[in-house]
Each structure stands twice: as C-alpha cells, then as structure tokens.
Amino acid sequence: MKIGGVIQLAENRTLGQYLYDCLREEGITEIFGVPGDYNFSLLDTLEEYEGIEFINGRNELNAGYAADAYARVKGMSALITTFGVGEMSACNAIAGAYSENVPLIHIVGSPKSMMQYEKAIAHHTLMDGDFDVFRKVYEHITCYTAILTPENAAREIPAAIRLAKEKKKPVYLVVAIDLVTKPLLSQSESLENEAKTNVDALQSAVKHIKGMLEHVSKAVLLVDVKSLRYDLGEPVQRLAETLNVPVASLMQGKSGFDESHPQYIGVYGGAFGNQEVTKTVEEADIIIAVGAVWSDTNTSKETAKLDPLKMVEIQPDSVKVGAASYMNVKAEDILDALKDIGFKLEKPVAAMAFPYETSADDPSAPLKAASYYPRIQQMLKEDDIVVTETGTFSYGMSQVRLPKGVTYITQGGWQSIGYATPAAFGACIADKNRRVLLFTGDGSLQLTAQEISSMLEKGCKPIIFILNNDGYTIEKFLNVKVDIEKQKYNEIPAWNYTNLAEAFGGEAFTARVETNGELDEAITNAQDLDGEKLCLIELIVNDQMDGPEYLKKMRKYLEKKEIQQ
C-alpha cells in the first residue's frame, strides 16, 4: 500500500515480500529468471506472492534479454538470478539494457550471510572468499548497486527503483538467501522529490532558440532513442504539428514518432539512407533533435553531415542551443514552451516516397530484399509489437514504414546478436493482447533458439520470420578486408528451422519459402490463423550477399575507405 509516496509496511512484512510489493507498485506482474540454489528463498516467496508470476527462462542471458524487452513495453522489468554463475551469465543482457537506456531491476540471491561473513570457500564463487566481486562488476553496467539487509531494504529498494526510472538504466540488488524471509527492521522513508526545471535556464534557452528561428525557412525535427525511453512521443508530435516541420528519426530512435503521421519523412541515415530524407535534414537551417545519441549507428559511420551550430539538442534534463548549454531543463518543459514560440513554416510538409511502399509483382521470382521488405510492410498492423534482430534485418526494417501505435524493439546501440528471439518472448509476456512479430536471421537464432521453447510453454503465439541466408551475413557485409569465400568463421551449421517447434514439444504453423508467391501464401495463412498458433516462416535467400540498399551502400563506403587507407 502506498500513501504519500511511501510504501506502507504491513506488520511482520519480510524483506522479500516488501521487495515484491515495490515491484508490483511499478506495474510489474511478471519477473524473469532462472532458479539456482542461492535464490530459492526469493523464488519460494514469489511462489506464494499474489500478483506477480515467475517466468522461467532457458538460461540467464535469455531471461535478461526477455526482461529488457518487457521493460520496453511496460516501462520497467525485473530479473532474478543466482549468485556468481547466474549473474555472470546475465551480464551481457544487463550491459545491453544499460547501453540502450532500459530500466531493469536485477535481483541476485547470494550465499548465507554467515558464510559471507566467514569468507567461506563456496561453490559459484572464485574460491577466494570474496563475495563482493560480482557486485563490483555490476557497478560498471548499472546505475546503482545495493546489498540488501532487513535494516536497509526499506530505504535501498525504493531508491534503486527511483534511479532506474529517472536514469532509464538497470540497477542491481543482491540479498543473502537467509535474509529474504526476515522481517524488515525499519519503515520506508519518503522518496526524494523529483528534480524540477530551472525556470531561468528554460527561459534563456527559449529566448536563444527564438533568435535562431528569426530567419529560418527550412527546419526539421529529429527524434531518437531517449525520446522513446522517456515517453516524449506525444509532446514531440504536438510540437511538430505546431511548427509544421518534417520529422525524421535516427536509426536507434525508430518508432519514436508516429510513422503514419503525414509529417514523418523516414529514418535519417546519412550517406546510406533515403537521400531525399538526408537532403531534407542536412539542408535545414535549424535541426531540433530530441533525445539523440550520436553513436556510429546513428551517424551512419560518421557520414552524417549535421552542423552543431544549427542544432537545438533536447535531452531529458538539459538543452543545448548551438554551442550554449542550459542545464536542469526537463525535456517536457522545453517541448511545451517551444509550442508558444510563434514560429511556423508556411509550406505544408512535402510527401516523401518510402522505399518499400510497393512490392515486386512476379510471384515466381526468388526472394530478395527488394521483394520481401515491401511484403513485410504491407502485413504490419496498428499496435503490433515488432522485434527485429541486429544484422541485415535491422538495416532493412529501419526503412519499413510502421503503422500507428507499433512498438518497435531492436538493439540499435548494443547490437548483441541473439537478442531478438528472447526479446520477442519478453514482449509476448508483457502484453498478451497485442500481436508480436519477430524478424531474425539464421545465425542470430542459433544463439538463443531455446526461447522458442519458452514461447510454446507459455502459450505465446508470435509470427516468426527467419531469414536463412547461409550464415552471419551482416559480418560478411562489414568485413571488406577479406574475400567472402575465405570467411569460414562466418559460416554456420544448417538447421531444420521449421522443425524447431516439434523438437521443443509444441505445435506451430510452419512454412519454408523461396519465392515471392510462396511468401505471400505463407503470410496469408499465418494471418488467417489470427493468433491460434505460433507461426514460423523461413525465408530462403540463395544470394548470401543480397541485402537492403542501406547495407549495400554501407559496404561500398567501407570498401572505399579500406582502399584509401
């Protein structure tokens, strides 16, 4: 129960019960993880707790990926692992959540407190009596770590959750197995007041921006990943409509703006993306960028040509106007203030041609990127959840225009192959009423295919597209120093992907398609099932170097750069 910003403790409430109370208050109704002998008391308490279900993953890495996607759908997630072996297995997923600004509560069950006090040589440790070493590892990939005790839990748990929400980063909580069932020894404290905008800084920033707009005839809005994480979509849309400016997203910020909106022009991809979009962005007199991360992905290998002196860069708690920075300014406040700045472009935003608006007509032709991406775009529906693996799919899907309300999930920054399959499982658990579509490659799927078993066990019924182009094709595109034939390390074993559901003890609609017509038929059949079964469609692409135009342009750029070096 929460009164005045404080979780009120019932009499004799245990540390574990209070932990789950706090998580439930944040809307978490499922917790991912893998059992281990040091987290038994956490899981036993959870089994008896009403309102939160434990979702058992096939391994800790996959459970972490699933929790990451769950947080992207619901706003926050939680993961339970055991000490040492479990938390180390989950490290990559947590680092990805940190890189991608995802709030995730990682809870670790550790050995008995007396064992730790005596520095016992225990299993799942480094055999040196150091029980704090793994928490120290997590200090670098989370925004907060804490060792929970009955004395401090009522303070540390709310503090960790608050920081995860504010910073959009994972946090780490570790608790000894024998302390989970102990009653709390202190009441919870009032949460700190949320930081507010510095009014003087806000007014100065608005005045500066108003001056920049005086002689502007071309302007554009850019949205990126932090706009997504901080739920800035609506205020950004209101500002765009008020200013009457075109809106583009960066690669990592795809779906941060309603892509069905008439002012949306596509993804800005520097030298590799749609050149009409590139021209619109780079020739603007002023660029208002919201939540931007200037990574190599977003700058398209640094081919983006953006003048920082013509830029207004709005971050969650600051704004930069040209070379001047204004701190302690909330993004919501500056976006709202700019609506009243008195600026509006007179000309309507020109309609933009999107790459995959039309599909190839020849049904007998073999599958190619130019033909299957338009078909994918055509099949997407409002409010779908689209999960895309890093690799060739991520570059092609970036150019697909999404319908209204679609949640788009990919690891644009961390780019860990294998992320998408368990992420799709997490998305299915997060919202059981929405259709989930997974787009993954054969190489990526082989890393984390076990979570198809989890999908089947939990009754999840996504539509899964497996792009079988014979190996790690994305790596073949990126490695321009060695002939493709010599890259034996990018080859993988041939799997019977359509038999996976049967191998995992479940049923699914499956199709193995090689032509446009076969893909059309498979999509129709999958959609006619309307969520009755998990659907798995394997796309056979014989040309292993077929790919989206964005990726082909990137490879040519890398080849030219290699020659120049």
Side-chain angles (χ1 to χ4, degrees), residues 195-205 317 319 326-330 333-334:
K196 296 181 179 180
T197 286
N198 182 309
V199 176
D200 291 338
L202 173 63
Q203 292 175 346
S204 297
D317 56 5
V319 58
Y326 302 89
M327 308 308 293
N328 301 318
V329 176
K330 291 288 183 181
D333 295 328
I334 186 71

Side-chain angles (χ1 to χ4, degrees), residues 159-412:
I161 291 173
R162 174 176 56 82
L163 285 168
K165 290 167 66 176
E166 288 180 2
K167 296 182 179 295
K168 307 300 180 186
K169 300 283 188 182
V171 297
Y172 172 97
L173 300 173
V174 58
V175 57
I177 186 172
D178 58 313
L179 299 184
V180 174
T181 57
K182 300 292 185 185
L184 295 193
L185 299 180
S186 64
Q187 293 291 312
S188 56
E189 300 176 359
S190 297
L191 301 180
E192 295 181 21
N193 292 328
E194 185 179 355
K196 296 181 179 180
T197 286
N198 182 309
V199 176
D200 291 338
L202 173 63
Q203 292 175 346
S204 297
V206 171
K207 183 178 180 181
H208 193 163
I209 296 167
K210 190 171 184 178
M212 286 183 70
L213 289 168
E214 284 182 359
H215 304 292
V216 163
S217 59
K218 297 179 182 178
V220 68
L221 258 169
L222 273 182
V223 297
D224 195 29
V225 60
K226 291 184 181 179
S227 178
L228 275 167
R229 300 292 181 267
Y230 285 83
D231 297 320
L232 299 175
E234 288 188 12
V236 168
Q237 183 169 319
R238 288 195 296 268
L239 177 61
E241 290 169 349
T242 301
L243 303 182
N244 190 37
V245 297
V247 183
S249 65
L250 294 171
M251 285 284 284
Q252 290 178 239
K254 182 172 175 62
S255 79
F257 191 86
D258 175 9
E259 297 191 6
S260 69
H261 196 283
Q263 288 174 235
Y264 178 72
I265 61 172
V267 171
Y268 170 64
F272 313 139
N274 183 323
Q275 290 307 290
E276 284 299 309
V277 177
T278 296
K279 181 179 179 181
T280 300
V281 172
E282 294 182 355
E283 292 184 358
D285 301 314
I286 186 170
I287 298 170
I288 301 174
V290 184
V293 176
W294 302 115
S295 64
D296 58 348
T297 301
N298 277 340
T299 60
S300 302
K301 301 293 183 184
E302 300 181 355
T303 65
K305 297 177 181 178
L306 305 175
D307 185 349
L309 296 180
K310 294 181 179 179
M311 188 174 295
V312 175
E313 189 175 340
I314 298 171
Q315 294 294 354
D317 56 5
S318 67
V319 58
K320 187 176 180 182
V321 185
S325 295
Y326 302 89
M327 308 308 293
N328 301 318
V329 176
K330 291 288 183 181
E332 300 94 326
D333 295 328
I334 186 71
L335 290 169
D336 186 59
L338 291 180
K339 295 204 314 309
D340 301 320
I341 206 165
F343 173 83
K344 184 175 184 178
L345 291 181
E346 295 302 321
K347 291 184 179 179
V349 175
M352 189 69 68
F354 287 80
Y356 299 128
E357 294 285 5
T358 57
S359 58
D361 293 325
D362 185 357
S364 64
L367 287 175
K368 290 184 177 294
S371 65
Y372 60 75
Y373 282 115
R375 286 166 163 80
I376 289 170
Q377 178 167 310
Q378 192 173 29
M379 77 170 291
L380 297 181
K381 300 177 181 179
E382 288 191 6
D383 298 321
D384 279 345
I385 299 176
V386 174
V387 186
T388 303
E389 181 58 77
T390 186
T392 57
F393 252 142
S394 67
Y395 292 101
M397 290 298 291
S398 73
Q399 306 303 308
V400 167
R401 191 175 191 180
L402 304 174
K404 185 178 181 63
V406 167
T407 298
Y408 184 79
I409 298 174
T410 190
Q411 267 197 340

Side-chain angles (χ1 to χ4, degrees), residues 61-74:
L61 174 64
N62 289 1
Y65 287 150
D68 175 298
Y70 182 100
R72 297 185 194 215
V73 176
K74 292 194 72 170

Side-chain angles (χ1 to χ4, degrees), residues 70 73-74 385 426-436:
Y70 182 100
V73 176
K74 292 194 72 170
I385 299 176
C428 289
I429 296 298
D431 195 329
K432 299 174 178 64
N433 297 316
R434 295 171 68 186
R435 188 174 74 158
V436 175

Side-chain angles (χ1 to χ4, degrees), residues 39-50:
N39 66 24
F40 286 163
S41 60
L42 282 164
L43 298 184
D44 290 340
T45 301
L46 186 55
E47 282 290 306
E48 298 178 0
Y49 187 89
E50 294 185 7

